[in-house]
Amino acid sequence: ESNNLALKGIAFANRHKGNHIIVSSIEHDCILNSCKWLSKQGFNITCLPVDSDGLIDVDELKNTINRDTILVSIMHANNEIGTIEPIEGIGNICSEHGIYFHTDACQSFGKVKIDVQQQNIDLLTINAHKIYGPKGVGALFIRKGVKIEPWQHGGGHEFGLRSATENIPGIVGLARAAQLCDEELESETARLTQLREKIIVNVLQNIPQAYVNGHRAQRLCNNVNFGFQGYEGEGIRLLLLLDDLGIAVSAGSACSANDAENKPSHVLSAIGHNPVEARGALRLSLGRYNTEQEVDYFLEVLPSVFRNLRPLSSLSLGG
C-alpha cells in the first residue's frame, strides 16, 4: 500500500511537471504492477536494467533522466537476491536534478543504516512484519514539502494522505519493533553476516555446482541465494527434501508463491539467467532467532540431500 501511494501519489500530484518515472527491473511486483497501471494512465515508465550482481548503473540512471522525469523509485535491497543498491548516489543524482527519490526499504530497514537526510531520500517504504512486528501495518516516510496526491479518500486521517481508521495496535507494534531493531542493529548485523558468510563459504566449497545469486559482498546480512548449475530443474524437490529434515527455505519471493503459471523469477531473469535457472534458486533467510547450531545442521545435511538430486542440463533447456 505504501509503494502504491508513493508512486501513484507522486505521479498524479506532479503530472503538470512531467510524466516520466524511472524504476529498476528488479523491483517488487507492487512497484512494477503500479508502473504498468500508471503507463495506462499516460505515464512514461523507464525500467533500468541491472548487471549480473543486480546493481543498477548510476551513470545510466543519470543519462535516462530527462525534463519530464518526476520520480525515481529504486529499492534499497532486493528481496530475492539481497543485493544492496547505491541509494546515496541515486539520491544525490535525484537531488541535483530536482526529482523526487523513493526507495522501497522493506527488506533493508532494521538491517542496514538509513539516513534519509544524508542519502537524499524523499519517500521511503517500510513494513512491520519484516522486523518481527505485526502483519498488516507499514509506513511511508514523506519528506516535508513533497507534493503527493492521496490515493484513498474519506475522513481525512493521516493528515489527509490516507483516510481510514488507524490500526493503532499495529502502529504501536511497528514502532516498538523498529526501536528494538535500532538498538540491536550493529550487533545483530554482525552476527547475521557471520552466519551468512559461513553458509556461503561452506556451500561453495562442498558443492562444486553451487553459485551465488546477487552481489557477493554488497548484500543483506540475512540473505543467501544459491543456484546449482545443471540441477536447476530440481529446485522444488530440493526444497521438499530439506523441509522433510525441518529446514524451511524458499525458491524465490514469498509474494509470488501463489503464481499458478510458475513463471521464472523476474529478478533472476534480469541478472541474466535463462528460464530454467530463473526457476531453480534456493533462498535462505536468516533471522533473529536462528542459531549457529541450526546453520551447522543445514551445512551438514545439504551435501547428502544434494546427492539425491538428478542433474538436468539447463543449457539444453534454456532460452
Side-chain angles (χ1 to χ4, degrees):
E1 183 180 339
S2 296
N3 282 339
N4 272 262
L5 174 58
L7 266 68
K8 297 171 184 176
I10 290 294
F12 282 94
N14 297 274
R15 67 186 314 170
H16 63 285
K17 296 180 180 179
N19 69 342
H20 184 220
I21 297 171
I22 301 173
V23 298
S24 82
S25 58
I26 60 169
E27 297 297 313
H28 191 278
D29 279 342
C30 61
I31 293 287
L32 297 178
N33 287 328
S34 290
C35 287
K36 288 179 182 178
W37 184 86
L38 284 168
S39 68
K40 297 177 182 178
Q41 314 308 314
F43 290 91
N44 181 22
I45 310 297
T46 295
C47 202
L48 288 176
V50 294
D51 65 15
S52 59
D53 290 323
L55 290 169
I56 72 157
D57 185 331
V58 291
D59 290 328
E60 185 171 4
L61 168 63
K62 188 182 300 184
N63 294 333
T64 304
I65 292 172
N66 60 49
R67 63 181 182 179
D68 292 323
T69 307
I70 54 176
L71 174 68
V72 171
S73 180
I74 305 292
M75 67 192 335
H76 189 187
N78 186 263
N79 53 310
E80 292 189 37
I81 60 174
T83 297
I84 299 173
E85 300 294 338
I87 62 168
E88 184 167 347
I90 298 168
N92 291 338
I93 291 172
C94 292
S95 179
E96 291 168 3
H97 287 81
I99 298 167
Y100 289 137
F101 173 42
H102 165 255
T103 187
D104 176 353
C106 289
Q107 294 292 327
S108 61
F109 186 70
K111 305 177 186 72
V112 182
K113 289 183 179 179
I114 298 173
D115 187 326
V116 294
Q117 302 299 334
Q118 179 180 332
Q119 295 166 328
N120 284 302
I121 298 170
D122 298 301
L123 304 103
L124 179 139
T125 295
I126 64 173
N127 64 12
H129 74 271
K130 295 295 183 184
I131 55 171
Y132 302 94
K135 293 184 178 181
V137 62
L140 176 64
F141 162 78
I142 305 173
R143 183 186 295 276
K144 186 177 181 179
V146 170
K147 295 180 179 179
I148 185 167
E149 183 73 18
W151 197 242
Q152 187 164 306
H153 303 92
H157 305 76
E158 301 288 356
F159 308 103
L161 290 177
R162 198 273 190 186
S163 292
T165 302
E166 292 96 338
N167 175 11
I168 299 300
I171 293 169
V172 172
L174 168 57
R176 180 57 177 152
Q179 183 182 41
L180 290 172
C181 280
D182 184 59
E183 292 171 357
E184 301 170 2
L185 178 63
E186 188 172 339
S187 60
E188 186 64 2
T189 297
R191 187 185 75 87
L192 291 176
T193 300
Q194 184 267 328
L195 294 179
R196 181 199 73 190
E197 288 304 295
K198 184 172 186 175
I199 292 173
I200 292 176
V201 170
N202 276 269
V203 171
L204 293 181
Q205 285 180 346
N206 293 311
I207 302 180
Q209 298 88 348
Y211 57 89
V212 175
N213 290 310
H215 198 280
R216 180 62 181 81
Q218 196 169 316
R219 66 186 306 122
L220 291 171
C221 59
N222 69 322
N223 175 284
V224 183
N225 190 305
F226 289 113
F228 299 95
Q229 186 64 45
Y231 289 80
E232 293 88 355
E234 291 280 78
I236 298 300
R237 186 160 179 255
L238 176 58
L239 263 62
L240 294 174
L241 290 172
L242 289 172
D243 185 68
D244 287 341
L245 296 171
I247 299 172
V249 293
S250 67
S253 170
C255 303
S256 58
N258 293 324
D259 184 359
E261 298 180 25
N262 190 27
K263 295 179 182 177
S265 161
H266 73 278
V267 175
L268 296 180
S269 297
I271 65 174
H273 289 315
N274 66 47
V276 173
E277 293 169 339
R279 287 188 179 94
L282 179 72
R283 187 184 72 161
L284 292 82
S285 296
L286 298 167
R288 179 180 294 170
Y289 303 109
N290 287 126
T291 65
E292 187 159 12
Q293 289 73 26
E294 290 172 333
V295 168
D296 289 339
Y297 173 63
F298 168 75
L299 294 174
E300 178 185 348
V301 302
L302 181 63
S304 59
V305 169
F306 189 80
R307 285 193 290 271
N308 290 323
L309 304 180
R310 297 183 296 272
L312 179 66
S313 174
S314 62
L315 297 178
S316 63
L317 297 177

